[in-house]
Amino acid sequence: MQRRRKDSFSLQFKSRARSRSIKNEWRKLLYLKQNYPDNYIDRALFLKSLKKNSTVVKYSYWNISNDFSLVSLHLCNVLMVYCFFVYSYSHNNALLSFCVTLATITIYLCFYRLNPNAFGFAADAIDHFKLFKSSVVIISFLLSLSPILKSLTNSISSDSIWALSFWLCILNILTNNYQFSNNTKDNNKNKDNYTYSIVAFNIQFSNLIVLASRLSSIIQVFCFILISIQFISIYPIFQHHLRIYNKSRPHKNSNKFLFVSYFILSTAFFFNLFKHSNSIWILIVFWFSLNFLILFIFPLYFIYLQNFKNELQGPWDPAKPIYQ
C-alpha cells in the first residue's frame, strides 16, 4: 500500500512539474507576459528554421541555351529590318518592296488561317470581319501617314539620322522582353500570350520612323514600315507560340529548325547586301562570334554562377501575400 501511495505521489509530482514547465516555456510572442526579458532567445530554437538555397533550381544546359536563343532571335529581327532598309535605300525599287511586303502578309495570313491560336485568338471566338476591318484601318493609316514620314527629317543631316538610329537600336536590344514562361500547371490561359515590352516596341517604332524618313518614295516608306512591323511584332508571336507547341511535345523540334533557318536567311541577306564591302568578312566573323557567345558560352557562364548562389530564408523574412 505504501509503495502504491509513493508511486501515485511521484506521478502527480511529475505531472505538476511538466505542467509548470509547459506554462513557463518561452514563446516568441511579445504580447504575452512571460518571465523572460524582451531580448531573450531560446538557443535550442535559434536558427532552427533557417533554410539555405531552398529555391535553387538545377538547370539543363540545352534548356538554358534554348532560352538564350530568344536574344539571338531578336538580333536576327533587327538585322532583317536594317537589311531591308539598306536594300530599299540603295536600290530605290518601290515595286520590289511592295511585292515583298505583299508576300510577307500572305505568309502570315496563311499561317493564321491554319493556326489562329498562335496570334492569341480562340478558334471559336474569331470575328473575321472585325479583324479584317482593323487590318484595313491600320494599313490605310500607315499609307496616309507615309507622305508626312517621308519629309519628317529633311532638315536633319544623314549622319545625325544614322547616329540616332544606332542608339535607338541599342536601347531596343537592351529593353526588349526576352522572357519565356509557360507553366503547364497553371490554368490561366493568358500565360500563353506573348507580352511585348512597351518601351522596346516604342523605341523600335521610333527607329523605323527615323529610318523611313530617308527613303525616296512614299511607297517605299509605306512598305518599309509595314514589313518592319511584321518583323518586330508578328514574327515574335509566331515564334513564341511555336515554342509553347514544342514544349508540350518534346519530340518536336520545329522551333529550332525555324530559328536556324531564320538565322541563315538573315545572314545570307546581310552577306548579299554587303558582299562588295571591304569589311564584310570582319562583320560576318563578328556576327557569328556574337551568336556563338549568346547560344553556347553565356549559358555555361549562367550555370557556373549558380554555384555562388547563397540565399538564406528564415522566419524573419517578410510574408509574401498570395492573391486568389
Side-chain angles (χ1 to χ4, degrees):
M1 293 293 291
Q2 292 179 356
R3 286 183 178 179
R4 290 180 180 177
R5 289 178 180 177
K6 289 181 180 180
D7 293 339
S8 62
F9 179 76
S10 62
L11 290 174
Q12 291 176 1
F13 179 78
K14 291 180 179 179
S15 63
R16 289 177 182 176
R18 288 177 182 174
S19 63
R20 288 176 183 174
S21 64
I22 293 173
K23 289 180 181 179
N24 295 329
E25 183 181 359
W26 177 75
R27 301 176 64 186
K28 193 178 179 180
L29 297 173
L30 288 175
Y31 60 85
L32 290 180
K33 293 183 179 180
Q34 304 181 80
N35 296 326
Y36 298 95
D38 292 338
N39 60 350
Y40 175 80
I41 296 177
D42 191 352
R43 294 186 177 182
L45 301 177
F46 182 65
L47 298 180
K48 184 178 180 181
S49 57
L50 177 66
K51 297 179 181 179
K52 185 176 180 180
N53 295 336
S54 60
T55 59
V56 174
V57 180
K58 291 184 178 180
Y59 295 99
S60 172
Y61 172 76
W62 293 111
N63 290 335
I64 297 297
S65 179
N66 189 34
D67 293 338
F68 270 84
S69 65
L70 292 171
V71 182
S72 183
L73 179 67
H74 183 67
L75 293 179
C76 291
N77 286 331
V78 173
L79 182 64
M80 288 294 289
V81 169
Y82 273 98
C83 286
F84 188 70
F85 168 76
V86 170
Y87 186 84
S88 301
Y89 182 78
S90 58
H91 289 77
N92 193 16
N93 194 337
L95 180 61
L96 182 60
S97 300
F98 182 77
C99 293
V100 171
T101 305
L102 185 62
T104 308
I105 295 175
T106 305
I107 292 172
Y108 282 121
L109 287 177
C110 291
F111 171 74
Y112 169 75
R113 184 65 180 173
L114 293 175
N115 187 13
N117 292 323
F119 291 93
F121 299 102
D124 55 349
I126 301 174
D127 190 350
H128 294 280
F129 178 74
K130 186 176 180 180
L131 189 63
F132 175 76
K133 185 171 65 174
S134 301
S135 302
V136 171
V137 168
I138 293 174
I139 293 175
S140 302
F141 177 75
L142 288 177
L143 187 59
S144 61
L145 200 64
S146 296
I148 301 175
L149 298 178
K150 178 181 176 297
S151 59
L152 189 62
T153 60
N154 287 338
S155 60
I156 304 175
S157 64
S158 297
D159 293 337
S160 300
I161 294 298
W162 308 145
L164 178 61
S165 176
F166 171 78
W167 288 112
L168 288 175
C169 177
I170 296 297
L171 288 176
N172 169 257
I173 293 173
L174 294 178
T175 58
N176 189 57
N177 180 24
Y178 300 107
Q179 184 180 5
F180 172 74
S181 61
N182 178 33
N183 190 359
T184 56
K185 296 181 181 180
D186 197 348
N187 294 325
N188 188 7
K189 294 182 179 180
N190 293 327
K191 286 271 187 180
D192 294 342
N193 293 336
Y194 179 78
T195 55
Y196 290 101
S197 174
I198 303 299
V199 176
F201 186 82
N202 290 334
I203 291 174
Q204 182 67 9
F205 193 74
S206 301
N207 189 20
L208 297 181
I209 293 175
V210 168
L211 292 175
S213 64
R214 289 290 133 175
L215 297 177
S216 57
S217 65
I218 297 175
I219 297 298
Q220 279 187 327
V221 173
F222 167 72
C223 294
F224 172 70
I225 293 180
L226 187 60
I227 196 172
S228 298
I229 288 176
Q230 295 171 33
F231 279 125
I232 66 176
S233 62
I234 299 179
Y235 183 75
I237 299 176
F238 168 59
Q239 182 70 21
H240 175 79
H241 285 275
L242 192 62
R243 286 173 181 268
I244 294 176
Y245 175 80
N246 283 273
K247 194 171 183 179
S248 60
R249 298 166 179 82
H251 61 282
K252 300 288 186 180
N253 292 316
S254 55
N255 67 323
K256 297 177 182 178
F257 174 76
L258 181 64
F259 168 74
V260 173
S261 302
Y262 191 59
F263 177 79
I264 295 174
L265 177 63
S266 59
T267 306
F269 194 15
F270 174 75
F271 179 79
N272 187 40
L273 284 176
F274 299 96
K275 60 184 177 181
H276 299 295
S277 176
N278 295 328
S279 59
I280 180 61
W281 291 110
I282 298 176
L283 295 175
I284 291 294
V285 170
F286 174 76
W287 173 249
F288 276 97
S289 301
L290 179 62
N291 284 276
F292 180 80
L293 286 173
I294 294 173
L295 294 175
F296 300 104
I297 304 301
F298 287 167
L300 283 175
Y301 184 65
F302 178 80
I303 295 175
Y304 172 73
L305 289 178
Q306 302 304 308
N307 298 325
F308 301 97
K309 198 168 186 179
N310 189 14
E311 182 181 356
L312 300 178
Q313 292 179 338
W316 56 84
D317 293 333
K320 296 180 181 179
I322 300 175
Y323 299 97
Q324 296 180 353

